[in-house]
C-alpha cells in the first residue's frame, strides 16, 4: 500500500502538516519562555523597589521602625512577594503573616483579596537579599515569589488554544491531504489504466481530463498518440488487405499457367513464357509501388528541406517531360510568378510533380494541353497541374487519394496516395477539381 502513488502523496502532505503543527508548538514554547522571562524581570525590579524602600526607612528611623516595616511588607505582598525581614543579627523583625495580623479585619480582607495570598501557590524557598546602608549590612530580606495568577491564566489559555488548533487544523490538514492526494493521483491512475488498455490492444482507449495544466496537456498528448496509433493500425490492416488482394491476381495467373504447363495442357513455348514474364513484371511493379508508398509515408522523418526557387525548378521538370508530351501531341506549358520560393525536399517535390504529370498525360487526348501553374496565396505557394482530358466522375472524387483505388483508367491506385502523403509530410495539402469529360486540376499547397 505504501508503494502506491496516492499513499506517497498522502504521507507527504501529512508530513508537511505535522511540520506546520510542530512549528506552532515551537512558537508556543518560545512565547511562554519569553513571557516567563519578562515576568521574572518584573519581579526582580519589584524586589529592588522593596529593598530600596526598606533601606530608606532604616536610614530615616536609624533602625527598624516596626510600623514602617509592616507597611513595606504589606506593599511587597501586593506586589506578589511573601517576605521575611531579618535584622543584622538574624532575628526576624516581621514577616508577611505577622504583618497581616496587625491590619484591621476590613483592610486585611481587602489586601488578601487583592493579592490572593491565601489562594496563590506558595511553594518554593525564600531567597535572601542583603540590605546595606553606608557599606554595612543592616539586615536581610528573604523573599518567596508567589506564582502569578496571570502567568497561570496565560499558560492555561495557550494550552487550550494549542490543543484546539491541533484538533481542528490537524483534522483539516489530514482531510485536505486525502482530498488533494486523490485529486493529484486520479488523473495519473486514469492515464495508467488507458496505457494498460492500449498495451492490451484496445487502441480506442482515451483519457478524459477537463481543465488546464501539466496533467491535462499530458492527457491531450496521450490521446493524440492513441489516435495516431489507431489510425496507423487501421492503415496497416487496410494496406495488408489491399496488398493481399492485389498480389493474388498476378500470383494466381502465374500459378495457373505453371500448373497447365506441368499437366501438359499448356505448351512451354516462347509465347507462354513471355506471358509469365509479363505477370512477374506486373508483380514487380506492384511491389515497387508499395515500397514507394511506404517511403512516402515515412518521408516526414527523412525530409531534407531547403529553399527552392520554383520557376527554374519547374522549368527543369517541364523540359525533362517535354519530349514525352510532344510524342503524344500534347502541349505542356508553364506559368510561374517570379521570385516564388518554397521550403521543400527537392527529390520529394519532383516525385509529386512527376506523378501528377504522368496522370495528366494518361488522361489527355491528342492535341490536348497540360498546364503547370505556380502562384502565391498568402503564406503558401500553390502548384497546379491541370489537364483537358477525360476528367474524373463525381462519385470517384472522394476516393481518388485512397490506396489502391482505381478508376477506369487503370494503374495501381498508388500514385495519388503518394502525392497526398508527400504533400502532408511537407506541412501542405493536395486538392482536386474535376469535371468529367472536361479535365482535372490538382492543386498542391506548400508553405513558402
Amino acid at each position: 500500500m505504501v508503494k502506491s502513488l496516492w499513499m506517497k502523496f498522502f504521507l507527504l502532505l501529512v508530513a508537511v502538516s505535522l511540520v506546520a503543527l510542530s512549528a506552532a508548538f515551537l512558537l508556543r514554547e518560545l512565547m511562554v519562555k519569553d513571557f516567563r522571562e519578562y515576568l521574572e524581570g518584573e519581579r526582580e525590579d519589584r524586589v529592588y523597589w522593596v529593598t530600596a524602600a526598606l533601606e530608606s526607612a532604616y536610614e530615616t528611623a536609624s533602625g527598624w521602625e516596626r510600623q514602617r516595616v509592616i507597611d513595606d511588607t504589606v506593599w511587597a505582598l501586593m506586589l506578589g512577594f511573601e517576605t521575611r525581614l531579618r535584622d543584622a543579627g538574624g532575628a526576624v523583625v516581621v514577616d508577611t503573616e505577622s504583618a497581616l495580623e496587625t491590619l484591621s479585619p476590613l483592610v486585611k480582607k481587602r489586601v488578601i483579596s487583592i493579592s490572593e495570598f491565601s489562594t496563590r501557590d506558595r511553594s518554593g524557598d525564600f531567597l535572601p537579599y542583603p540590605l546595606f546602608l553606608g557599606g554595612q549590612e543592616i539586615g536581610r530580606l528573604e523573599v518567596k515569589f508567589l506564582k502569578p495568577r496571570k502567568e497561570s491564566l496565560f499558560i492555561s489559555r495557550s494550552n487550550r488554544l494549542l490543543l484546539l488548533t491541533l484538533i481542528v487544523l490537524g483534522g483539516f490538514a489530514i482531510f485536505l491531504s486525502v482530498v488533494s492526494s486523490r485529486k493529484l493521483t486520479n488523473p495519473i491512475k486514469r492515464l495508467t489504466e488507458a496505457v494498460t488498455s492500449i498495451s492490451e490492444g484496445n487502441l480506442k482507449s482515451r483519457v478524459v481530463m477537463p481543465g488546464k495544466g501539466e496533467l491535462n496537456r499530458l492527457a491531450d498528448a496521450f490521446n493524440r498518440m492513441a489516435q495516431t496509433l489507431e489510425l496507423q493500425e487501421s492503415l496497416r490492416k487496410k494496406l495488408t488487405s489491399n496488398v493481399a488482394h492485389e498480389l493474388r491476381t498476378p500470383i494466381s495467373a502465374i500459378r495457373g499457367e505453371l500448373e497447365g504447363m506441368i499437366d501438359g495442357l499448356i505448351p512451354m513455348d516462347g509465347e507462354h513464357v513471355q506471358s509469365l514474364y509479363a505477370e512477374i513484371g506486373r508483380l514487380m511493379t506492384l511491389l515497387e509501388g508499395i515500397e514507394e508508398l511506404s517511403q512516402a509515408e515515412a518521408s516526414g522523418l527523412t525530409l531534407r528541406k531547403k529553399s527552392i526557387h520554383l520557376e527554374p525548378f519547374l522549368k527543369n521538370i517541364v523540359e525533362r517531360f517535354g519530349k514525352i508530351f510532344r510524342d503524344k501531341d500534347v502541349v505542356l506549358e508553364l506559368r510561374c510568378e517570379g521570385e516564388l520560393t518554397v521550403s521543400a525536399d527537392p527529390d520529394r517535390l519532383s516525385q509529386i510533380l512527376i506523378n501528377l504529370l504522368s496522370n495528366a498525360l494518361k488522361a489527355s487526348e491528342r492535341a490536348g494541353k497540360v498546364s503547370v501553374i505556380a502562384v502565391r496565396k498568402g503564406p503558401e505557394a500553390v502548384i497546379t497541374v491541370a489537364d483537358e482530358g477525360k476528367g474524373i466522375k463525381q462519385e470517384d472524387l472522394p476516393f481518388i487519394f485512397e490506396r489502391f483505388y482505381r478508376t477506369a483508367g487503370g494503374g495501381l491506385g498508388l500514385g495519388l496516395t503518394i502525392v497526398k502523403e508527400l504533400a502532408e509530410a511537407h506541412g501542405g495539402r493536395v486538392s482536386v477539381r474535376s469535371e468529367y469529360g472536361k479535365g482535372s486540376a490538382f492543386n498542391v499547397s506548400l508553405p513558402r
Side-chain angles (χ1 to χ4, degrees):
M1 185 65 179
V2 179
K3 293 182 180 180
S4 69
L5 185 60
W6 175 84
M7 181 56 70
K8 290 178 180 177
F9 270 117
F10 174 72
L11 292 178
L12 176 61
L13 293 174
V14 168
V16 172
S17 301
L18 291 176
V19 170
L21 293 175
S22 299
F25 274 101
L26 180 60
L27 178 62
R28 180 258 181 192
E29 290 298 323
L30 292 175
M31 290 177 61
V32 170
K33 180 182 177 183
D34 289 344
F35 180 68
R36 283 175 173 165
E37 289 178 353
Y38 167 75
L39 291 180
E40 289 176 2
E42 284 284 315
R43 285 196 293 263
E44 289 291 332
D45 290 342
R46 291 170 183 175
V47 170
Y48 291 129
W49 296 347
V50 175
T51 57
L54 289 172
E55 290 171 346
S56 176
Y58 185 90
E59 181 180 13
T60 302
S62 299
W64 295 116
E65 183 184 347
R66 184 173 176 79
Q67 187 58 46
R68 184 75 178 270
V69 171
I70 289 174
D71 292 341
D72 288 339
T73 301
V74 173
W75 177 49
L77 176 62
M78 297 180 69
L79 290 177
F81 314 127
E82 182 180 356
T83 59
R84 190 162 57 204
L85 178 62
R86 295 181 184 273
D87 58 18
V92 176
V93 177
V94 69
D95 59 16
T96 299
E97 291 184 357
S98 61
L100 288 174
E101 294 300 326
T102 64
L103 302 177
S104 65
L106 182 61
V107 175
K108 177 181 178 182
K109 182 178 179 181
R110 182 172 296 178
V111 171
I112 291 176
S113 176
I114 294 172
S115 63
E116 298 180 350
F117 179 68
S118 60
T119 60
R120 286 196 180 191
D121 185 0
R122 298 169 60 189
S123 60
D125 300 326
F126 282 94
L127 301 177
Y129 288 85
L131 302 174
F132 293 92
L133 185 62
Q136 294 183 351
E137 186 174 347
I138 58 175
R140 184 171 71 251
L141 179 66
E142 295 178 350
V143 177
K144 180 190 292 185
F145 296 104
L146 301 177
K147 190 173 182 181
R149 185 172 62 87
K150 292 181 180 179
E151 179 181 352
S152 302
L153 183 62
F154 175 79
I155 293 176
S156 63
R157 286 184 177 177
S158 66
N159 288 336
R160 286 198 300 271
L161 179 61
L162 186 62
L163 181 61
L164 182 63
T165 301
L166 180 63
I167 294 174
V168 175
L169 294 184
F172 179 74
I174 292 176
F175 171 76
L176 191 63
S177 299
V178 173
V179 174
S180 299
S181 58
R182 288 193 180 278
K183 187 175 181 181
L184 286 171
T185 56
N186 280 341
I188 299 176
K189 183 179 179 181
R190 291 199 295 269
L191 279 169
T192 303
E193 291 172 352
V195 170
T196 303
S197 180
I198 285 182
S199 68
E200 293 173 352
N202 180 20
L203 297 179
K204 294 186 178 296
S205 180
R206 300 291 186 272
V207 178
V208 179
M209 200 174 299
K212 297 181 180 180
E214 289 80 2
L215 289 176
N216 303 100
R217 290 196 293 271
L218 176 61
D220 291 339
F222 171 83
N223 289 336
R224 289 195 299 271
M225 179 198 71
Q227 185 177 3
T228 302
L229 288 175
E230 184 181 7
L231 177 61
Q232 292 298 324
E233 179 64 13
S234 174
L235 293 177
R236 183 189 66 81
K237 291 179 178 179
K238 186 176 180 180
L239 179 61
T240 302
S241 175
N242 291 338
V243 169
H245 175 75
E246 292 295 329
L247 290 178
R248 187 177 295 113
T249 301
I251 290 177
S252 296
I254 293 172
R255 181 176 180 177
E257 290 201 37
L258 288 176
E259 287 177 348
M261 291 179 183
I262 292 173
D263 294 338
L265 300 176
I266 299 176
M268 194 178 296
D269 54 17
E271 179 182 352
H272 289 91
V273 171
Q274 184 66 32
S275 175
L276 287 175
Y277 182 79
E279 290 297 332
I280 292 174
R282 284 184 58 196
L283 189 60
M284 290 299 297
T285 301
L286 178 60
L287 293 176
E288 288 171 357
I290 293 172
E291 181 181 8
E292 190 175 358
L293 175 60
S294 299
Q295 292 175 353
E297 290 177 336
S299 62
L301 302 176
T302 58
L303 290 179
R304 296 179 175 85
K305 290 185 179 181
K306 59 175 67 175
S307 181
I308 300 174
H309 292 276
L310 280 182
E311 187 172 13
F313 181 83
L314 295 175
K315 185 177 181 181
N316 180 53
I317 293 178
V318 168
E319 288 176 351
R320 284 164 52 194
F321 274 75
K323 184 178 185 305
I324 301 175
F325 277 76
R326 286 193 298 272
D327 290 344
K328 194 176 178 180
D329 195 20
V330 176
V331 176
L332 178 60
E333 65 174 8
L334 170 65
R335 297 199 303 272
C336 180
E337 292 185 1
E339 299 301 323
L340 185 58
T341 61
V342 294
S343 176
D345 184 321
D347 295 333
R348 299 303 184 185
L349 183 56
S350 296
Q351 190 175 359
I352 291 174
L353 294 170
I354 289 171
N355 280 342
L356 292 178
L357 287 173
S358 298
N359 288 346
L361 181 61
K362 291 177 185 177
S364 298
E365 302 291 342
R366 288 191 174 274
K369 184 173 74 171
V370 174
S371 302
V372 179
I373 306 167
V375 296
R376 179 186 293 106
K377 287 188 178 180
E380 295 179 327
V382 180
I383 303 173
T384 302
V385 177
D387 64 69
E388 299 174 348
K390 301 175 183 178
I392 304 171
K393 295 180 179 179
Q394 291 299 312
E395 60 266 26
D396 290 328
L397 277 177
F399 309 104
I400 60 173
F401 294 107
E402 296 289 332
R403 293 172 175 81
F404 299 105
Y405 186 83
R406 290 177 292 189
T407 60
L412 291 177
L414 294 177
L416 290 178
T417 305
I418 292 171
V419 169
K420 178 176 178 291
E421 294 289 343
L422 291 176
E424 292 178 351
H426 281 83
R429 63 189 185 280
V430 61
S431 60
V432 60
R433 302 188 313 274
S434 182
E435 186 176 350
Y436 188 66
K438 293 186 179 181
S440 305
F442 287 86
N443 303 309
V444 179
S445 302
L446 298 173
R448 285 168 46 198

